[in-house]
Amino acid sequence: MSETNTNAPLLEVKGLKKYFKTRRGMLHAVDDVSFKIERGKTLGIVGESGCGKSTLGRAILRLLEPNGGQVLFEGQDVANLNAEQMRLKRRDMQIIFQDPFSSLNPRKTIAQTIGEPLKLNKIITDKNKRMERVLELMSIVGLAERLVNTYPHELDGGRRQRIGVARALALNPKFIVCDEPVSALDVSIQAQVLNLMKELQSSLGLTYMFITHDLSVVNHFSDDIGVMYLGRMIEKAPAEELFANPIHPYTKALLSAIPIPDIHYKMERILLRGEVSSPIEPPNMCRFAPRCNDCMEKCRTSEPALVEVSPGHFVSCFLASDEVMPV
């Protein structure tokens, strides 16, 4: 591989769109989203329920077919691949689902679940060698060998999610979409799974897109953070920069909601009033305008572009971008 390709981002998303047809019109679940993820890095995606985070992850992997835009994986647009080419490409692009119980087949043992990708993709056809690989993967994610023939209902949430991680690692992927992988787990188990994923990223050179509601988790886990609101990416910056210098009013409100474990700390919550706009056939205006305390007239008549206000810090807000050229 050339030096240019090595230094290029592993994943580049350009103007990605995913709409759903409803009786009232087209629902804009993901609307013109663009970003890059460097090799070996983690992009955290945050936002409230219904903002399009999970749909974005599934559209990137073509589990949902996008309506427009490009998904460039190692420079290749996966939207142009046929079914067989996409099946092969998914060896490099995997997903860890949110619910560790519903994402597992209750009729399959741990060995069958982890070994299934190897079998379906004909990576290891010999049954004994496949079992060796399954045991190796179980060891990597911290599952005891004695659990090899157990079923999902016999295990706790942490072990179930480790099965999901092992299954995602089975084909030696380069990129994994982590769709709220710890939201259904207890706090202590969350820490174990997150530490495991960080260790795997370091040892295997994995690249993550980490979808979550938990801002404390995303700050700990991510190199960069993207904030979504009603299908749009409204702010993106390095994690440290975003927490130190949030610019978009919605990002500021999200960060103000993080609980501080100090009884002497006076929390300054930013309360959002007004109704959430409908994502169905949204008008040409800032989608956050009905809830924004700093809303201006132009916010209700046009939609702000995503602009770079400082190196690596992108914002979609007229308050920050009036004198900055769009990216």
Side-chain angles (χ1 to χ4, degrees):
M1 182 179 292
S2 67
E3 183 178 349
T4 302
N5 290 337
T6 302
N7 294 331
L10 180 72
L11 181 77
E12 183 173 2
V13 176
K14 295 182 177 181
L16 190 64
K17 299 178 181 180
K18 177 58 188 176
Y19 302 160
F20 295 96
K21 187 176 182 179
T22 72
R23 288 179 294 179
R24 294 170 51 199
M26 297 300 291
L27 188 153
H28 293 217
V30 175
D31 204 356
D32 198 23
V33 171
S34 302
F35 59 85
K36 300 177 182 178
I37 308 180
E38 304 296 329
R39 296 172 187 272
K41 301 294 185 180
T42 299
L43 171 65
I45 301 291
V46 299
E48 58 195 72
S49 296
C51 72
K53 305 185 299 297
S54 296
T55 302
L56 174 63
R58 284 163 169 75
I60 289 171
L61 299 179
R62 280 185 63 187
L63 296 177
L64 295 171
E65 289 293 338
N67 294 89
Q70 292 180 299
V71 178
L72 303 176
F73 185 81
E74 296 185 315
Q76 183 179 30
D77 190 355
V78 300
N80 295 329
L81 302 180
N82 60 35
E84 178 59 22
Q85 291 171 328
M86 192 64 218
R87 186 183 68 81
L88 295 174
K89 181 60 66 177
R90 285 204 177 100
R91 297 179 182 181
D92 292 329
M93 307 170 72
Q94 289 291 308
I95 185 170
I96 300 171
F97 294 98
Q98 177 178 356
D99 188 341
F101 189 65
S102 64
S103 65
L104 302 175
N105 188 331
R107 298 185 178 184
K108 291 185 181 294
T109 64
I110 288 182
Q112 292 171 327
T113 297
I114 299 175
E116 190 171 28
L118 301 169
K119 182 179 180 180
L120 292 177
N121 287 274
K122 300 179 181 178
I123 304 297
I124 303 177
T125 55
D126 182 83
K127 189 174 182 180
N128 293 330
K129 291 184 178 179
R130 190 161 60 241
M131 180 56 72
E132 291 178 7
R133 175 60 174 160
V134 167
L135 293 175
E136 179 186 359
L137 288 164
M138 289 178 62
S139 176
I140 289 174
V141 301
L143 286 170
E145 184 176 331
R146 61 182 173 78
L147 301 174
V148 69
N149 290 317
T150 56
Y151 290 87
H153 72 273
E154 299 178 272
L155 304 173
D156 59 32
R159 289 191 177 94
R160 290 174 192 157
Q161 196 59 288
R162 287 171 188 263
I163 299 171
V165 174
R167 179 175 59 184
L169 294 175
L171 300 178
N172 294 317
K174 300 175 183 177
F175 171 67
I176 300 178
V177 172
C178 309
D179 188 5
E180 302 197 45
V182 296
S183 63
L185 307 179
D186 293 336
V187 174
S188 60
I189 306 300
Q190 284 185 17
Q192 293 178 22
V193 174
L194 289 172
N195 289 334
L196 167 66
M197 293 175 66
K198 288 292 286 185
E199 291 170 6
L200 293 173
Q201 183 175 41
S202 177
S203 60
L204 302 176
L206 296 171
T207 303
Y208 293 137
M209 189 176 93
F210 191 86
I211 299 167
T212 182
H213 285 94
D214 193 329
L215 285 161
S216 299
V217 167
V218 81
N219 184 34
H220 164 75
F221 196 79
S222 303
D223 298 289
D224 298 287
I225 298 174
V227 182
M228 289 188 68
Y229 186 81
L230 284 181
R232 302 279 295 195
M233 184 78 75
I234 60 169
E235 187 161 5
K236 178 181 177 293
E240 187 175 341
E241 164 71 10
L242 189 81
F243 273 74
N245 183 34
I247 296 177
H248 197 285
Y250 178 67
T251 306
K252 292 179 180 179
L254 282 182
L255 296 183
S256 76
I258 300 175
I260 305 297
D262 183 351
I263 61 174
H264 301 294
Y265 180 83
K266 185 178 179 180
M267 297 183 65
E268 297 181 3
R269 289 289 304 274
I270 299 175
L271 299 178
L272 297 179
R273 296 176 173 85
E275 295 294 327
V276 179
S277 302
S278 172
I280 299 175
E281 304 291 357
N284 182 31
M285 62 179 285
C286 175
R287 297 183 188 183
F288 186 61
R291 304 173 71 191
C292 184
N293 297 325
D294 302 310
C295 180
M296 302 178 290
E297 182 61 32
K298 67 169 62 177
C299 302
R300 299 186 181 277
T301 57
S302 58
E303 191 163 17
L306 189 69
V307 299
E308 187 169 17
V309 296
S310 64
H313 195 154
F314 299 85
V315 184
S316 174
C317 180
F318 288 123
L319 291 172
S321 61
D322 278 345
E323 298 180 2
V324 185
M325 293 299 292
V327 297

